[in-house]
Amino acid sequence: MSTPHAMRPPTQAQTIDAIAIVGPTASGKTAAALALAQTLQAQGGAEIISVDSALVYRGMDIGTAKPTREELAAVPHHLIDTLDPLQSYSAAEFAKDATRLIRDIRARGKTPLLVGGTMLYLKALLEGLNDIPAADPEVRTQIQQQAESLGWPAMHALLTQVDPITAARLAPGDSQRIGRALEVWTSTGQTLSSFHQSAKAHAPDWHIPVISLEPADRAWLHQRIAQRFDQMMAQGFLDEVKRLKARGDLNPDLPSMRCVGYRQAWEGLDAGWPEAEIRERGIFATRQLAKRQITWLRSMPGRLVVAADAPDALTQVLQKVNELPL
């Protein structure tokens, strides 16, 4: 790998609030973040804020491809292992936590690195969120009953009629988010996307450049996803899910257990699928997640794109940072 240009002086680097490194699953975000953090040591150092809805959960290590102990020890990390899988965590909570962390890390003279692939979290931080109403248990129950009768693909079709913008970014089987969007519509008569749009008018004044790792060849990403899933299976992923099931207080409808891979493993263990079928379904679901993540990324015109499958991708990331108008 060629040697990147020297980073800009610390006094100029302080003019940004943070740097975001995003991309679809298995695109190399962790490696890029660690390389950047090492380079920033000369400027006071860096700390990583996880932008990942699965890494917040304790006991979910293998299936989330959580950074290793060595990686966690190399650079301070935040918003990893902060919740029990029984708990939930929202984009609004992330935006609040990340705002506090960015200010704290900056106060320590370090650069915050926002790293992950949960695009709704990043959107909430960068654009703000309006006062979306809290969950209404009665409306949620009604929608759940309707879904049990019609199926979630039909509910997705219904959402397409009332809120096509939100429906376009959700998979037909994403029951949690489809249900939430329909709940907002039923409770308020307003679309979830309209709340997000109006939030932009009150967006925080962040200076956070976004570096996006996007593969030029989708087949490269598919191969990486399959390799990662095989590695997780070899490391004992199914045993991890069995331990979570054995707790007795978790269920497959919780946000934690709906994370990609866990949902398929839980369902497969309940149904007695062979490991090969769990693997196939898990890889397919992860590919679908990556596809949705790339769609989100392409809606961010100001992002700085690096080809994740380029041999010098890490060097390009460092050069992008060096070239920022800091």
Side-chain angles (χ1 to χ4, degrees), residues 113-176:
L113 303 180
L114 296 152
V115 183
T118 302
M119 304 309 168
L120 183 59
Y121 283 12
L122 185 63
K123 183 182 178 73
L125 176 67
L126 297 181
E127 299 182 3
L129 288 174
N130 207 337
D131 294 327
I132 301 174
D136 185 325
E138 184 176 343
V139 173
R140 179 164 292 184
T141 299
Q142 293 173 358
I143 291 170
Q144 185 67 36
Q145 291 173 344
Q146 190 177 1
E148 290 173 359
S149 173
L150 301 177
W152 283 108
M155 301 299 284
H156 183 264
L158 176 61
L159 181 61
T160 301
Q161 295 177 20
V162 299
D163 187 357
I165 296 175
T166 299
R169 65 176 178 80
L170 300 180
D174 193 346
S175 57
Q176 180 188 350

Side-chain angles (χ1 to χ4, degrees), residues 146-206:
Q146 190 177 1
E148 290 173 359
S149 173
L150 301 177
W152 283 108
M155 301 299 284
H156 183 264
L158 176 61
L159 181 61
T160 301
Q161 295 177 20
V162 299
D163 187 357
I165 296 175
T166 299
R169 65 176 178 80
L170 300 180
D174 193 346
S175 57
Q176 180 188 350
R177 292 180 176 84
I178 294 169
R180 176 59 175 149
L182 287 171
E183 180 187 320
V184 170
W185 165 258
T186 304
S187 300
T188 68
Q190 300 180 58
T191 64
L192 186 61
S193 57
S194 71
F195 279 102
H196 290 158
Q197 288 292 332
S198 59
K200 291 182 180 180
H202 308 286
D205 187 22
W206 289 120

Side-chain angles (χ1 to χ4, degrees), residues 28-299:
K29 298 183 293 295
T30 297
L34 291 172
L36 178 55
Q38 184 177 17
T39 305
L40 289 170
Q41 285 300 320
Q43 296 179 217
E47 298 187 22
I48 292 174
I49 302 171
S50 172
V51 189
D52 191 298
S53 60
L55 294 186
V56 295
Y57 293 113
R58 295 186 291 271
M60 295 172 59
D61 304 327
I62 299 173
T64 61
K66 195 168 287 180
T68 65
R69 289 180 181 178
E70 293 74 19
E71 290 169 339
L72 291 171
V75 183
H77 285 67
H78 303 274
L79 302 185
I80 294 179
D81 288 339
T82 59
L83 297 179
D84 184 85
L86 198 58
Q87 299 173 281
S88 61
Y89 191 62
S90 69
E93 289 172 308
F94 168 81
K96 181 179 179 181
D97 289 341
T99 296
R100 171 180 52 82
L101 286 166
I102 288 170
R103 290 171 178 160
D104 289 348
I105 294 167
R106 270 293 172 212
R108 290 193 286 274
K110 297 184 178 183
T111 301
L113 303 180
L114 296 152
V115 183
T118 302
M119 304 309 168
L120 183 59
Y121 283 12
L122 185 63
K123 183 182 178 73
L125 176 67
L126 297 181
E127 299 182 3
L129 288 174
N130 207 337
D131 294 327
I132 301 174
D136 185 325
E138 184 176 343
V139 173
R140 179 164 292 184
T141 299
Q142 293 173 358
I143 291 170
Q144 185 67 36
Q145 291 173 344
Q146 190 177 1
E148 290 173 359
S149 173
L150 301 177
W152 283 108
M155 301 299 284
H156 183 264
L158 176 61
L159 181 61
T160 301
Q161 295 177 20
V162 299
D163 187 357
I165 296 175
T166 299
R169 65 176 178 80
L170 300 180
D174 193 346
S175 57
Q176 180 188 350
R177 292 180 176 84
I178 294 169
R180 176 59 175 149
L182 287 171
E183 180 187 320
V184 170
W185 165 258
T186 304
S187 300
T188 68
Q190 300 180 58
T191 64
L192 186 61
S193 57
S194 71
F195 279 102
H196 290 158
Q197 288 292 332
S198 59
K200 291 182 180 180
H202 308 286
D205 187 22
W206 289 120
H207 181 194
I208 302 178
V210 177
I211 299 174
S212 181
L213 289 162
E214 301 174 28
D217 180 6
R218 194 71 62 91
W220 175 88
L221 187 63
H222 288 177
Q223 182 180 19
R224 294 255 302 186
I225 288 170
Q227 289 173 344
R228 175 186 278 185
F229 205 90
D230 287 340
Q231 183 180 19
M232 294 189 319
M233 294 288 277
Q235 291 172 342
F237 174 47
L238 292 184
D239 289 334
E240 181 175 80
V241 178
K242 288 175 184 177
R243 286 194 296 271
L244 292 165
K245 285 170 62 68
R247 284 181 35 160
D249 59 346
L250 303 177
N251 67 75
D253 292 324
L254 288 168
S256 59
M257 293 300 102
R258 297 191 66 79
C259 291
V260 68
Y262 288 87
R263 178 181 181 182
Q264 291 72 33
W266 187 297
E267 186 178 354
L269 290 170
D270 276 350
W273 296 343
E275 285 192 17
E277 184 168 357
I278 294 177
R279 173 189 180 274
E280 181 180 346
R281 295 198 184 203
I283 290 173
F284 178 78
T286 309
R287 287 182 177 182
Q288 292 299 106
L289 169 64
K291 183 179 180 180
R292 295 194 300 274
Q293 289 171 317
I294 290 171
T295 298
W296 268 90
L297 290 167
R298 288 176 175 169
S299 71

